Amino acid sequence: MQPSKIFETVLYAEDLAAAERFYHEALGLEVIRRGDLMVVFRCGGGVLLVFDPRKSGAPGREVPSHGTSGAGHVAFAAKPEDLPTWRQQLRQAGVPIEREVGDEAGRSLYFRDPAGNVVELAPPTIWGGDWEF
């Protein structure tokens, strides 16, 4: 057996309010839960959780403690034909594109969230996939 897909992705940010504004306003993700430990966003059939590592790393939590420091990375699926619209949306949100890379398999846009995590918009074809959107 193997899992059918990734359901949760976690990033860490000490300023959850800034993370919420970024992922909701710049990327349009729906906020489905917020608190002093985390903010949770709906993304397709999965969720993006942004935890405050100072709280999620505390011992004695109900779930195993976890957290990290330094920049993480997450990539969101984006149709190649939507990249011009994404560039415009990011520009309007004041989010600078750090890098744009690609080849015949597809192009990716890289930028950062307020905590310094690297965020990517990429077509699944860059890993040989042909997944539905």
Side-chain angles (χ1 to χ4, degrees):
M1 284 188 76
Q2 72 180 96
S4 61
K5 63 182 176 179
I6 294 175
F7 170 62
E8 293 179 349
T9 299
V10 176
L11 292 174
Y12 297 92
E14 292 184 3
D15 187 341
L16 294 179
E20 180 175 341
R21 282 189 305 277
F22 177 83
Y23 287 100
H24 178 67
E25 294 174 12
L27 297 184
L29 297 182
E30 174 192 2
V31 177
I32 59 173
R33 184 175 298 162
R34 69 175 58 86
D36 64 340
L37 171 67
M38 67 180 164
V39 60
V40 183
F41 305 90
R42 172 85 48 222
C43 184
V47 293
L48 171 66
L49 297 95
V50 180
F51 281 96
D52 181 334
R54 300 168 299 183
K55 295 176 181 155
S56 64
R61 294 184 57 233
E62 184 178 328
V63 298
S65 298
H66 56 81
T68 189
S69 60
H73 170 69
V74 63
F76 294 100
K79 294 177 184 177
E81 61 268 23
D82 290 342
L83 288 184
T85 303
W86 276 114
R87 284 185 201 95
Q88 181 179 356
Q89 183 170 323
L90 292 168
R91 187 172 35 258
Q92 288 175 342
V95 177
I97 295 172
E98 189 170 322
R99 214 165 267 153
E100 185 170 338
V101 299
D103 56 23
E104 64 280 347
R107 297 197 67 74
S108 293
L109 301 179
Y110 289 88
F111 47 97
R112 293 188 185 264
D113 74 7
N117 293 302
V118 178
V119 181
E120 178 183 5
L121 293 167
T125 52
I126 64 170
W127 291 110
D130 189 22
W131 308 311
E132 291 184 32
F133 285 90

